[in-house]
């Protein structure tokens, strides 16, 4: 079974990647009696009634928030939810998050419903040492995503110190993730450190064999990751919808399978660079019409079969890896000592076509590897399939994980104070 380091309740890390996490943290500053603005990623899924359906991200924020509260800070949390496009929308209010956060902390939460209201600062001024407030969704304000200096000044005016703990938003240069870090002493929280620690150590000094698994639909989102990982890994597995563009680059006919025509030449180049390292599907589960959203009548007539990737009919498309591919990919995974996985192997949202994704998740769970799940759909898949407690780390940031794996600088991390 894979190493289990509790993705639900991350613990503070005392060791940081020297090359990447050479940033000050909340352990490097005095916070007693100080007003501390903490950017967290509390972008939690909710149902139609506003009830939170998965509080994993709220729980992930607890170590940093508890540490600051216990040390006597006045904590002011900033976060976003969804994409309200710079205007208040009740569908995206953080009020339910405030309620759940209060339950988990065992403390009352002061909820500030309008960040730019004239009395916002006065409301926050009543906080005592060891008390906490949550600001309304920062994306209610157009200045947030524009990284407007004036909005950043409003946020900075509430605090003496800034803490970025929102790894999932660290790849965004927004007012609450990057702008405010230039106006206050700015350090990292424990979750930010944990994320960087896992990812950086995997890339810089992995136990070998080091295997990366990339899936999902969009080649354009992953081609940079493939290029950056190739020199570092011992094996690179490519599945999911993106695999069909690579198969097309090999000269295979892929029927109506997902194809990024603009990236065929780039995939050809990658296949040359990665010769001997890259594993592609050898067979696929194919259908005559895309399964998601089908009516019961259309579902009843859906044609499904497994074929070699050399024999995909012109009128059918791949929706999952086939049994021979599952066997081959699983064997590679089981031999690994370090595994990074980003992206499902097929249309895992449909249980009939989640077989490949489930098998890869099982192989990772059964391995003795340090296993890192790179957020997004792969995190959703491993949780949905029941393997969340059998992997080493599930990242809270899909886009941030991808950009980190691609070798890009994360604005929300770069802006923090160096040690």
């Amino acid at each position: 079974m894979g190493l289990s380091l509790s993705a639900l309740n991350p613990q503070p890390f005392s060791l940081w990647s020297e090359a990447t996490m050479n940033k000050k943290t909340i352990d490097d500053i005095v916070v007693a009696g100080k007003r501390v603005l903490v950017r967290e990623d509390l972008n939690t899924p909710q149902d139609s009634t506003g009830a939170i359906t998965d509080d994993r991200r709220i729980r992930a924020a607890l170590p940093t928030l508890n540490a600051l509260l216990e040390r006597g800070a006045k904590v002011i949390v900033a976060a976003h939810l969804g994409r309200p496009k710079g205007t208040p929308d009740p569908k995206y209010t953080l009020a339910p998050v405030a309620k759940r956060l209060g339950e988990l902390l065992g403390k009352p939460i002061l909820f500030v419903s309008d960040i730019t209201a004239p009395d916002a600062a006065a409301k926050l001024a009543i906080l005592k040492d060891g008390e906490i407030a949550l600001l309304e969704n920062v994306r209610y304000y157009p200045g947030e995503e524009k990284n407007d200096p004036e909005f950043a000044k409003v946020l900075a005016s509430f605090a003496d110190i800034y803490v970025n703990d929102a790894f999932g938003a660290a790849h965004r240069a927004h007012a609450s993730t990057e702008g405010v870090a230039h106006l206050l002493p700015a350090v990292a929280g424990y979750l930010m450190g944990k994320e960087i620690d896992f990812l950086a150590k995997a890339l810089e000094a992995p136990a070998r064999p080091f295997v990366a698994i990339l899936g999902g639909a969009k080649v354009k989102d992953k081609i940079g990751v493939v290029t950056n990982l190739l020199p570092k890994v011992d094996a690179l597995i490519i599945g999911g919808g993106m695999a069909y563009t690579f198969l097309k680059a090999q000269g295979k006919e892929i029927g109506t399978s997902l194809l990024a025509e603009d990236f065929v030449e780039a995939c050809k180049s990658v296949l040359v660079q990665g010769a001997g390292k890259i594993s592609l599907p050898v067979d696929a589960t194919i259908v005559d019409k895309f399964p998601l959203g089908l009516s019961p009548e259309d579902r009843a007539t859906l044609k499904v079969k497994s074929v070699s990737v050399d024999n995909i009919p012109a009128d059918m498309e791949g929706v999952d890896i086939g049994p021979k591919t599952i066997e081959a990919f699983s064997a590679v995974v089981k031999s690994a000592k370090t595994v990074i996985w980003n992206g499902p192997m097929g249309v895992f949202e449909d249980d009939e076509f989640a077989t490949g994704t489930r098998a890869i998740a099982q192989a990772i769970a059964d391995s003795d590897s340090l296993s890192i799940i790179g957020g997004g759909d792969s995190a959703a898949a491993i949780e949905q399939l029941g393997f969340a407690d059998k992997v080493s780390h599930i990242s809270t940031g899909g886009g941030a994980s991808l950009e980190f794996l691609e070798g890009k600088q994360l604005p929300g991390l770069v802006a923090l104070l160096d040690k």
Side-chain angles (χ1 to χ4, degrees):
M1 182 179 291
L3 300 174
S4 181
L5 298 179
S6 181
L8 271 178
N9 291 301
Q11 296 302 308
F13 269 64
S14 58
L15 297 175
W16 305 82
S17 167
E18 188 173 335
T20 310
M21 196 59 210
N22 188 31
K23 296 292 181 179
K24 287 190 176 181
T25 75
I26 61 172
D27 291 337
D28 297 313
I29 55 171
V30 176
V31 299
K34 303 288 187 180
R35 301 172 302 158
V36 181
L37 178 67
V38 186
R39 180 56 159 96
E40 293 286 2
D41 182 5
L42 306 179
N43 191 20
T44 53
Q46 301 178 10
D47 64 20
S48 58
T49 69
I52 292 169
T53 56
D54 183 351
D55 65 2
R56 189 176 298 269
R57 284 181 171 170
I58 303 175
R59 289 179 178 273
L62 297 182
T64 294
L65 298 180
N66 275 321
L68 292 169
L69 292 168
E70 288 165 5
R71 295 173 196 176
K74 302 175 179 75
V75 176
I76 300 157
V77 180
H80 76 276
L81 178 65
R83 299 180 182 274
K85 299 181 180 178
T87 187
D89 183 337
K91 185 167 67 171
Y92 299 112
T93 179
L94 285 173
V97 173
K99 181 174 182 291
R100 184 61 182 143
L101 180 60
E103 291 169 353
L104 291 169
L105 288 172
K107 284 180 174 287
I109 304 289
L110 172 65
F111 184 62
V112 178
S113 59
D114 187 350
I115 296 172
T116 57
D119 64 344
K123 286 181 179 179
L124 291 168
I126 68 170
L127 283 179
K128 297 183 175 65
D129 295 354
E131 293 185 343
I132 183 170
L134 174 64
L135 305 178
E136 182 56 284
N137 192 340
V138 289
R139 289 190 181 172
Y140 274 12
Y141 306 88
E144 165 64 2
E145 294 188 70
K146 293 176 182 176
N147 201 3
D148 177 30
E150 293 306 312
F151 186 58
K153 285 178 185 176
V154 171
L155 294 171
S157 72
F158 297 149
D160 307 303
I161 295 167
Y162 171 72
V163 174
N164 195 341
D165 203 33
F167 175 74
H171 60 311
R172 308 291 190 197
H174 291 171
S176 70
T177 60
E178 200 264 352
V180 71
H182 298 292
L183 303 174
L184 294 172
V187 302
Y190 287 139
L191 179 60
M192 178 73 82
K194 180 178 188 285
E195 292 274 13
I196 299 301
D197 192 69
F198 265 105
L199 289 167
K201 285 183 177 177
L203 294 181
E204 292 166 9
R208 295 189 181 275
F210 175 22
V211 175
I213 309 161
L214 296 176
K218 297 179 180 178
V219 172
K220 69 175 184 177
D221 290 349
K222 306 280 174 76
I223 196 75
V225 180
V226 171
T227 303
N228 192 49
L229 287 180
L230 265 179
K232 300 176 173 66
V233 300
D234 299 295
L236 178 62
I237 290 171
I238 297 175
M242 65 181 286
Y244 295 97
T245 300
F246 281 91
L247 293 170
K248 186 72 172 180
Q250 289 184 326
K252 299 185 188 301
E253 292 304 320
I254 60 171
T256 59
S257 303
L258 197 61
L259 173 64
E261 189 73 55
D262 294 347
F263 287 87
V264 171
E265 291 304 314
C267 290
K268 285 182 182 178
S269 176
V270 165
L271 289 170
V272 171
Q273 295 171 40
K277 284 189 177 183
I278 294 177
S279 295
L280 290 172
V282 295
D283 60 350
T285 298
I286 60 173
V287 294
D288 63 336
K289 44 187 175 272
F290 192 69
L292 294 185
L294 287 180
S295 67
E297 293 78 18
D298 285 339
R299 184 74 186 210
T301 62
L302 184 67
K303 294 178 183 175
V304 182
K305 58 182 178 179
S306 289
V307 298
S308 163
V309 293
D310 295 311
N311 297 309
I312 298 176
D315 60 347
M316 297 187 78
E317 64 180 304
V319 290
D320 196 8
I321 55 176
K324 291 181 180 177
T325 303
I326 288 173
E327 185 177 349
F329 285 4
S330 296
V332 175
V333 171
K334 287 174 183 175
S335 71
K337 292 301 180 187
T338 303
V339 176
I340 290 178
W341 179 27
N342 189 292
M345 296 292 100
V347 187
F348 79 98
E349 301 92 337
D350 187 311
D351 192 60
E352 186 174 358
F353 308 111
T355 304
T357 301
R358 185 181 296 111
I360 295 303
Q362 182 75 64
I364 294 172
D366 289 345
S367 75
D368 292 322
S369 65
L370 175 77
S371 48
I372 300 167
I373 313 303
D377 284 344
S378 42
I382 209 145
E383 290 161 9
Q384 179 181 313
L385 298 171
F387 294 103
D389 61 341
K390 296 179 181 178
V391 297
S392 307
H393 178 63
I394 301 175
S395 177
T396 57
S401 295
L402 275 180
E403 294 202 12
F404 191 93
L405 294 174
E406 194 174 338
K408 290 183 177 179
Q409 298 276 16
L410 305 183
L413 179 64
V414 172
L416 305 180
L417 292 173
D418 291 326
K419 287 197 176 186

